[in-house]
Every structure is written in C-alpha cells, then in structure tokens.
Amino acid sequence: MSANVPAIPSEAGSLVPTHWYNIAADFPEPLPPHLHPGTGEPVTVEDLIGLFPRALAEQELSVERYIEIPQEIRDVYAIWRTTPLVRATRLEKALGTSARIFLKYEGVSPVGSHKPNSAVAQAYYNRNEGVTKLTTETGAGQWGSSLAFAGALFGIDVEVWQVRASYESKPYRRYLMELYGGRVHSSPSELTEAGRAILAADPETTGSLGMAVSEAVEVAMRDDATRYALGSVLNHVALHQSVIGQEALAQLQAAGFDGADVVFGCAGGGSNLAGLSFPFLREVLAHGAKTRIVAAEPVACPSLTQGEYRYDFGDFSGMTPLLKMYTLGKDFVPDPIHAGGLRYHGMAPTLSHAVNLGLVDAVAIEQDAAFHAGILLARTEGIVPAPESTHALAAAYRYLAESDRDETIVIGVSGHGQLDLPAYGGFLDSYPR
Amino acid sequence: MSANVPAIPSEAGSLVPTHWYNIAADFPEPLPPHLHPGTGEPVTVEDLIGLFPRALAEQELSVERYIEIPQEIRDVYAIWRTTPLVRATRLEKALGTSARIFLKYEGVSPVGSHKPNSAVAQAYYNRNEGVTKLTTETGAGQWGSSLAFAGALFGIDVEVWQVRASYESKPYRRYLMELYGGRVHSSPSELTEAGRAILAADPETTGSLGMAVSEAVEVAMRDDATRYALGSVLNHVALHQSVIGQEALAQLQAAGFDGADVVFGCAGGGSNLAGLSFPFLREVLAHGAKTRIVAAEPVACPSLTQGEYRYDFGDFSGMTPLLKMYTLGKDFVPDPIHAGGLRYHGMAPTLSHAVNLGLVDAVAIEQDAAFHAGILLARTEGIVPAPESTHALAAAYRYLAESDRDETIVIGVSGHGQLDLPAYGGFLDSYPR
C-alpha cells in the first residue's frame, strides 16, 4: 500500500500533519445533510451561526478534502503531538497471536485523552470571532477538561455541564476542569429550563450526555458573546481529530508497515474512531486499500449495533439540528457504566454514514470484558487505558482469538485511565497479586 | 556549545540514547565511596550483593563513562520515550521574560513520572539473576507504581511500603500499584521489626521515606530470591535517569539551541535532577560549557540548603551502607507536604558531591509558591505538574523575576499531577473562575 499513500502534509522532520483530513470529500455517496428542525431543510452556514462561530460552521458543511491547521493551533498541538504509536510486542505474546499490534496512544495529552485535538481548534476559532465564553457538556470529564484547558490558553471562560453519574463518581476530572479555570455543574441542573424540566420528571436521573447538551446549548443561546462547543458527533469535530489517523499512517510507514489490516477504536459520539480511522478509509476509498475498521461500543449503549439509522436530535430536548445517525432515540438513558464517554444515544453522522455504507463494522462489548482487556494491557505494556478505550482493546482481543492471523492491527487507545483507577478496583479480584 | 557536545549515542533516527551516562567518570574529584556500616571501609560489589543483583552492584561502583542500555530495556523505554521537550512560549509570555523556557516533561510515561527509567532497568537485571520478588519504599507512589509496572513486565512480584502520609492522602496511586499486580502496605507497618519499633515509639507518625526503606530492606534480607529496589539516591539510579538529560541535550540541538544556560529540577532523593542535569554537567566538566544547575527542594525538607554534608544512613533504622551526602539526619520526619516524593532526609551522593564541588546550586521553596507555579503552568501550557515538579517551576520563575535575561532555561517537569488534583484544590481560591 505504501506506493498509494499520498504524501501526508506535514512539516519537514515532523509527522504532525499540517492539514486536517475531511472524509466528506471522499465518500462514494454524499453525506446526508443536517436538517433544520423548524423547516426540515438542509442547514446552511448561516443557520449554524449563533451556536458556532463562522469558521466552524463552514467546516461543519465543508467538502474540501484538506483544511489547513492554523499555526497557532499547531503550536499548541506541539505540546504533546506526535502521540506514540507503540508496537505492543508483550501484549502480542500474552495473546499468543502472530499479528502485529500497534497502539495509537492519545493519553499523553495534557488532559489525558484525544479530546484536546478539537478543543484547541474550537477555542481558537471562537476567540478569533470575539467569543468570550463557551458552554459544553461532558461525560467522564475528558471533553470538559479539554475545553477548560483550551479556554485557559485562548482566554475564554468555560462552563461545563457534567453528566451526574460521572460528576459524582469521578471528582478528579472536575478538579482538573477547575484547575484550568472552568466552572462545572452537575447535569441535569437547576440552572436551565431543560434541566429543571428533566429533574421535575425524574429527580433521581443519572443524567445523560443528551441532557447535558441541552443545558449547555440553552445557556449558549442566551447571549451573543457565548457559544456552544461539542466534543464529538459533529463533522468539524471528526475533522479536527483526523490528526490521529494521519499521524498513525505516517508512523506505520516510518516503521516499515504499509498501513493496517484492521483498525479498532471505541465509539461513543464517534470522534475518536472517526479521527483514527478516516485517514485509513481515505486509503480504502481513494486507493483501494483493504483496511477494515471496527467500532467498539458498550452493550449498555449500543447505538450502532442496536439503534436505527434515521434523523434524530443530538440532544435530549430537541434543540440541535436533526442529524442522520444511528440512534437509540434522544430519550435513551444508558446505565451508568464507567465509560461515561460512551454513554451517548446517537453516533457521529460521518461515522454512521461509513457504517451504513459498509465501510465500518460495529461490535458491542460487555463492561467486564472491557476492564479485563484494560488490565491485560496495563500488565503487559504498562499503559492504563481509559474505560472507554478498553472497549477497543476487548474487541481486538476477541478478533485475534478467533484464529491466528498474520495481520497488522492498530488499536486506538483514546486516553489514559489514571483518573478512573477506582473503577478498575472492582475487576482485580480475579487476578493474583 | 554545539561543537563541543559529543555525539550522544543513539540509534539512527532516534533521540533516545543507547547508553547511560555515568558522571562518576567526569568528576574533578572522585566521588566519596559508600562505607560498610560494620567495618567503616568502602563497600565492594560483593558487599552489595544480597541487597542488589550483581549487575546493579557493579553499576553502583562503576566509573565507566558510558554503560550500554540492554536492548530489552530500550524496547520498554520505547513505549514512552522520547519524552517531550516543550518550548513554553505561553509561559514565557505570562512571566514577561525574554528567556526561552523549555520543559523536559517526563509525565508521559505509563505511570506519569520519570521513575520507570530506573524501575525498568532494575527489574530487568533482577529478573536476569533469578530474583522473583522485589521490595521497595514509596512516598507519593510514583516509584512504587513504577516498580509495580516494571515487575509486571518482567514477571517479578513487587511489594511496596508506602509512607503513611501519602498512603492515606493519595489512594489512586495505591490502586495503580495494585492494578499492576503490586502489594502495598502503609508504612510504618506491623509486618517488620523496624515498623513495629517505630509504631511503638510513635503510633501517630506520618511515616517517612527513611522508615519505609528500613521496612523494605528488612524484608528483602529475609530470603535469597527477594531483593530490594531503591527509587532514588543511589548512583545506579542516577545513572539510569541520565536518559532524561541526554535526550534533552539532543532535543535542544535539534531545535537549534546550543545547550542551556540554567537547568532547574526538583530534588528529593535526587534522581530526577541528577538524570536531567548530569549530561549538562558533562558538557561543563569536559568541554567548558557554562550551564548552571539549580536544585529546588521543599522548605519542609531542606537537606541541601540546611543539612550537613557527612556520612549518614539512607534509611531510618541504619540498615543501608553509609552514604556521603547532605542530610538532615536519618531520624528527620518532614511535615506531610503534598510533594511526598521530596520528603527524604538525605540526597543522592552524586548530586551531593556536585553541590559540594560548586557545580549545582540549591534553593528551598515554600509549598504555596510551588502550587501557584503549577497552576500557572497548567493555565498556560496545559500540563498539570506533579507537586514535586512544581518546586522546580517556582525556582525558575523566581530566578526569571529577578531580572530580564536573554537565556535558555530548561525546567525538569518530572511527572504529571493528575493523581494529585485534590491537593491543587486548596490553592485555587485566589484564582478567578
């Protein structure tokens, strides 16, 4: 495949790309448009302004293949990028496989996940257009802390609604948001109409990402200097995350490997897997590469494997544009599993389209299988993966256990799990000390 | 200075060194020997065997300039090395300095600090000599989790005595040790004679690294397949940590900078600063470079700035060889500051010798100044530094505030502080949200 891989835009001596890759340019059938909830017509850039700054609204609807990454964003990426592509030989041995396993590890970012790749871009464009405050939702807190971090760098106040299940079980990520200067509320909250209505109907709700989105959107609509930022799902978020897969391809080439046979990633809203896999799909679509992509989602929130592919709202209260996606329905409230970042009722329209076209397969993973996969990674390669990332590991182990395969495997490890260590405790009893 | 920097041994295309650098080869006066506590004579390799495997005992007394890093260790280093050397332009701006600040950031390792650089080496050599169990002490848990990680990779059981003050205030690092398969005890414990004697004298003691060393050494002496591993202080630990400074020098050169004017690092037992600074001191000693080194220690445990330079034991109970070092006395129990890794009564003999020769300066930093330095780093560069590392930052900020200097500054950020987030909380009140 190496002859087919186009030169990935990057500066001399660096594997960090200079451009984001936009898969909308390469889909064999056009990406279904987002629809205006009032008119049912495809949304325009003008429709999205008010919620997002113009630059991001334009990226959301763009079909340009490459969009240049502004220098100021690349300067921030340089704090932690490139992220490691680790050949996991000790894990291979433990699994007894002939496959070559590579881990693309985003846990080395300042907040410990892939989320800053988009948070930094979103804060930058908002700052450029005079926005002084951003609101957002977060599950486990990976996105909220990423936006708080980015806000600190670009001088923007950040206010976060964190899903109650995670707010209560993962206090360290709240401390992290506050350290960066962010304000954090448990969602649903009494601060918004949406939150008050949800609490009135079910005071004991564990919350959901969809509910938290409603609250953050409501507050962003209140004034002109405040905008909303979304950590996943939307096209411009998948765009920003494409740095992951572009780097991974370049790193594989540098290590003498012609791409990968299978790429595994966890999928909640979809930004991690989209970012990792779409550059590989570019090789499939544009150059006939044979790479397969596998989305690993939790059994507790199986939008790809159990949901319907249809238009639905991105949030609980129906304030967002209608998105064509695999969805469990905007009212779906998943069990409070540890992988808070995977508790989303829908799935990125780009990734949903790729699944619908047969370009991406999906599997659902039980929580205990996921944690056991994470423990094996920790004890073979040292990396403690985020609960979300363990789903991708479990899916890969299962695939490799089916038969011995002489293949090259890339597993996206979207974040570290050091702030999730108490969750691991419950799964250690079956292991010898 | 670039013409003077010798080619740092490394593989083609990599800045990770292939050899450790041993400053004992270059000191203008020989390093004072460790003394046998019974005879008062310099210890021999044979004296050290029993406590350490032969390979490490030989490294402890070696005066060879370069010692090759075995391939199996380099393969593990490859999980996270090279670590980033970050140009901190946003921090420079916030400080209003003309200086160029570089952060050498060890927080990207699987456990989040520089400690695995030596843990992996120690586990490797012990495994090679048939050792099946390692005992050790730990403060905040950075070293204990590193050794547990290394033990998991090399099939060695790891048992850790963690200083009570940290055991009780930092449960996440205990979970991390257990995730890697380690066993963890609060120190002083009822499991050793040393621990029982300390508890009998002061049941409410907060513990100290010196006490925890005594317990771990006592258990290691009980049987032949068990050895002790120390996370700092000793010469072989400083040797292993030299990968940090060698990388930093190579990265500075790659960025077009001829070394550094000043290098700042925190110093508890000394391994972090030794590892970062000794390759820079090689340039001073062998090639006349002008780099100054500054050790930042806590006011609560000021061995370099308030201690005596004399022979003392490395542990509380007097079980180790006598080490020539700056010491507050083996009975000294520091206040339970958050920077648990800096709560050690002595200082690495190599670093102490360098201080005594005038090659390294020392400053003592108050805890609140340290945390405020950490908050500024988080809000400018995103990195949340370990409480230990914040001391180096505070020392550098103070130096840069004295006058505007057109200099190149390297600050060692020895680890991330994501498991120390509750400690940051108490210092956030004076910051706007």
Side-chain angles (χ1 to χ4, degrees):
Chain A
M1 194 175 102
S2 68
N4 284 329
V5 176
I8 292 162
S10 64
E11 287 176 279
S14 169
L15 297 179
V16 183
T18 55
H19 291 67
W20 291 304
Y21 168 64
N22 182 6
I23 197 171
D26 287 325
F27 274 130
E29 297 173 24
L31 188 64
H34 309 330
L35 301 183
H36 191 290
T39 65
E41 294 296 311
V43 297
T44 64
V45 167
E46 300 305 323
D47 290 335
L48 293 174
I49 292 173
L51 201 55
F52 302 116
R54 176 173 293 275
L56 293 176
E58 288 174 353
Q59 289 179 4
E60 184 64 23
L61 305 188
S62 171
V63 290
E64 270 185 78
R65 182 170 287 109
Y66 287 105
I67 294 175
E68 187 165 8
I69 306 174
Q71 187 61 48
E72 206 173 340
I73 296 174
R74 281 148 64 188
D75 288 345
V76 179
Y77 282 174
I79 296 174
W80 72 94
R81 307 209 70 86
T82 55
T83 63
L85 183 79
V86 177
R87 173 74 186 271
T89 52
R90 288 158 294 268
L91 177 62
E92 293 167 11
K93 199 172 160 193
L95 293 173
T97 180
S98 306
R100 296 159 296 282
I101 300 176
F102 289 90
L103 309 172
K104 180 59 173 169
Y105 183 44
E106 292 287 304
V108 298
S109 82
V111 309
S113 79
H114 69 294
K115 294 288 190 183
N117 296 327
S118 186
V120 169
Q122 292 190 45
Y124 166 85
Y125 288 115
N126 275 284
R127 193 273 323 264
N128 282 1
E129 298 188 22
V131 173
T132 58
K133 180 170 163 181
L134 284 169
T135 65
T136 197
E137 79 294 330
T138 200
Q142 296 273 22
W143 169 248
S145 52
S146 297
L147 195 68
F149 152 60
L153 265 52
F154 290 100
I156 295 178
D157 290 337
V158 173
E159 195 164 358
V160 182
W161 277 262
Q162 183 172 24
V163 176
R164 182 192 276 177
S166 294
Y167 182 91
E168 292 178 353
S169 67
K170 295 180 192 291
Y172 277 45
R173 284 230 176 74
R174 171 161 57 85
Y175 303 146
L176 183 55
M177 291 184 260
E178 291 171 349
L179 173 54
Y180 288 131
R183 292 182 63 197
V184 189
H185 312 290
S186 179
S187 171
S189 75
E190 296 285 352
L191 299 167
T192 65
E193 284 183 39
R196 288 188 293 271
I198 295 163
L199 286 171
D202 180 7
E204 300 307 315
T205 179
T206 53
S208 73
L209 281 166
M211 293 176 193
V213 173
S214 292
E215 296 202 277
V217 167
E218 183 183 322
V219 173
M221 302 296 272
R222 285 179 192 162
D223 76 86
D224 274 353
T226 301
R227 292 286 183 283
Y228 168 69
L230 188 66
S232 189
V233 183
L234 292 175
N235 304 353
H236 67 273
V237 183
L239 176 78
H240 302 152
Q241 295 294 353
S242 68
V243 293
I244 306 171
Q246 292 187 83
E247 271 185 21
L249 269 173
Q251 289 168 314
L252 282 169
Q253 286 197 283
F257 290 87
D258 289 344
D261 294 293
V262 197
V263 174
F264 292 88
C266 64
S271 76
N272 160 63
L273 180 59
L276 173 62
S277 69
F278 287 177
F280 287 88
L281 276 187
R282 176 192 62 200
E283 299 311 303
V284 171
L285 293 167
H287 304 111
K290 301 294 183 197
T291 306
R292 284 159 292 156
I293 314 293
V294 178
E297 62 182 9
V299 165
C301 196
S303 52
L304 290 172
T305 54
Q306 300 286 329
E308 292 178 62
Y309 186 49
R310 63 174 170 84
Y311 276 99
D312 195 7
F313 289 100
D315 70 318
F316 182 84
S317 302
M319 304 173 76
T320 68
L322 284 160
L323 309 173
K324 183 80 178 281
M325 60 182 177
Y326 285 90
T327 178
L328 297 160
K330 70 181 178 55
D331 301 333
F332 183 80
V333 178
D335 286 343
I337 55 170
H338 292 295
L342 304 185
R343 293 177 74 245
Y344 184 67
H345 68 276
M347 185 57 68
T350 46
L351 193 62
S352 293
H353 191 51
V355 169
N356 191 53
L357 292 173
L359 297 167
V360 172
D361 297 324
V363 296
I365 302 291
E366 293 279 359
Q367 178 165 264
D368 61 348
F371 271 98
H372 288 299
I375 293 167
L376 183 62
L377 183 68
R379 294 193 177 184
T380 52
E381 302 291 337
I383 294 170
V384 179
E388 291 80 1
S389 315
T390 61
H391 291 72
L393 293 163
Y397 299 178
R398 190 172 295 175
Y399 172 78
L400 293 170
E402 286 167 4
S403 66
D404 194 37
R405 293 176 161 102
D406 179 26
E407 294 184 347
T408 302
I409 306 293
V410 173
I411 308 175
V413 180
S414 54
H416 74 59
Q418 298 211 354
L419 301 192
D420 307 280
L421 283 164
Y424 271 98
F427 299 90
L428 285 176
D429 291 344
S430 52
Y431 287 81
R433 287 283 161 75
Chain B
M1 194 175 103
S2 68
N4 285 329
V5 176
I8 292 161
S10 65
E11 288 177 279
S14 169
L15 298 179
V16 182
T18 55
H19 292 66
W20 291 303
Y21 167 64
N22 183 7
I23 197 170
D26 287 324
F27 274 129
E29 296 173 24
L31 188 63
H34 309 330
L35 301 183
H36 191 290
T39 66
E41 293 296 310
V43 297
T44 64
V45 167
E46 300 306 323
D47 290 335
L48 293 173
I49 292 173
L51 201 53
F52 301 116
R54 176 173 294 275
L56 292 176
E58 287 174 353
Q59 289 179 5
E60 184 63 23
L61 305 188
S62 171
V63 290
E64 270 186 79
R65 182 170 287 110
Y66 287 105
I67 294 175
E68 188 166 8
I69 307 174
Q71 187 61 49
E72 205 172 340
I73 296 174
R74 281 147 64 187
D75 288 345
V76 179
Y77 281 173
I79 295 174
W80 72 95
R81 306 209 71 87
T82 56
T83 63
L85 183 79
V86 177
R87 172 74 185 272
T89 51
R90 287 158 295 267
L91 177 62
E92 292 166 11
K93 199 173 159 193
L95 293 172
T97 179
S98 305
R100 296 158 296 282
I101 301 176
F102 289 90
L103 309 172
K104 180 59 172 169
Y105 182 44
E106 292 287 304
V108 299
S109 82
V111 309
S113 78
H114 68 294
K115 293 288 189 183
N117 296 326
S118 185
V120 168
Q122 293 191 46
Y124 167 85
Y125 288 116
N126 275 286
R127 192 273 324 264
N128 282 1
E129 298 188 24
V131 173
T132 58
K133 180 170 162 180
L134 283 169
T135 64
T136 196
E137 79 295 330
T138 200
Q142 296 275 22
W143 169 249
S145 52
S146 297
L147 196 68
F149 152 60
L153 266 54
F154 290 101
I156 296 177
D157 290 337
V158 173
E159 195 164 358
V160 183
W161 276 262
Q162 183 173 24
V163 177
R164 183 191 276 178
S166 294
Y167 182 91
E168 292 178 354
S169 68
K170 296 181 191 291
Y172 277 46
R173 284 231 175 74
R174 171 162 56 85
Y175 302 146
L176 183 56
M177 292 185 257
E178 291 171 349
L179 173 55
Y180 289 130
R183 293 181 64 196
V184 189
H185 312 291
S186 179
S187 170
S189 76
E190 296 284 352
L191 299 167
T192 65
E193 284 182 38
R196 288 188 293 269
I198 295 162
L199 286 171
D202 181 6
E204 301 307 316
T205 179
T206 53
S208 73
L209 281 167
M211 294 177 192
V213 173
S214 291
E215 296 203 276
V217 167
E218 182 183 322
V219 172
M221 303 296 272
R222 285 179 192 163
D223 77 86
D224 274 353
T226 300
R227 290 287 182 282
Y228 168 68
L230 188 65
S232 189
V233 183
L234 293 175
N235 305 352
H236 67 272
V237 182
L239 175 79
H240 301 152
Q241 294 295 354
S242 68
V243 293
I244 305 171
Q246 292 186 82
E247 270 185 21
L249 269 173
Q251 289 168 314
L252 282 169
Q253 286 198 285
F257 290 87
D258 289 346
D261 294 293
V262 196
V263 174
F264 292 88
C266 64
S271 76
N272 160 62
L273 180 59
L276 173 62
S277 70
F278 286 177
F280 287 87
L281 277 188
R282 176 192 62 198
E283 300 311 304
V284 171
L285 294 167
H287 304 110
K290 301 294 183 197
T291 306
R292 284 159 293 156
I293 313 293
V294 178
E297 61 182 10
V299 165
C301 195
S303 52
L304 290 173
T305 54
Q306 301 287 328
E308 292 178 62
Y309 186 50
R310 63 172 170 86
Y311 275 98
D312 194 8
F313 290 100
D315 70 318
F316 182 85
S317 301
M319 304 172 76
T320 68
L322 284 159
L323 309 174
K324 183 80 179 281
M325 60 183 177
Y326 285 90
T327 178
L328 297 160
K330 69 180 179 56
D331 301 332
F332 183 81
V333 178
D335 286 342
I337 55 170
H338 291 296
L342 304 185
R343 293 177 74 245
Y344 184 67
H345 68 276
M347 186 56 67
T350 46
L351 193 63
S352 292
H353 191 52
V355 169
N356 191 53
L357 293 173
L359 297 167
V360 173
D361 297 322
V363 296
I365 301 291
E366 294 279 0
Q367 178 165 265
D368 61 349
F371 272 98
H372 288 299
I375 293 167
L376 182 62
L377 183 67
R379 294 193 178 184
T380 53
E381 302 291 337
I383 294 170
V384 179
E388 290 81 1
S389 315
T390 61
H391 291 72
L393 293 163
Y397 299 178
R398 190 171 295 175
Y399 172 78
L400 293 171
E402 286 167 5
S403 66
D404 194 36
R405 293 176 160 102
D406 179 26
E407 295 185 347
T408 302
I409 306 292
V410 173
I411 308 175
V413 181
S414 54
H416 74 60
Q418 297 211 354
L419 302 192
D420 307 281
L421 283 164
Y424 271 98
F427 298 91
L428 285 175
D429 291 344
S430 52
Y431 286 82
R433 287 282 159 73

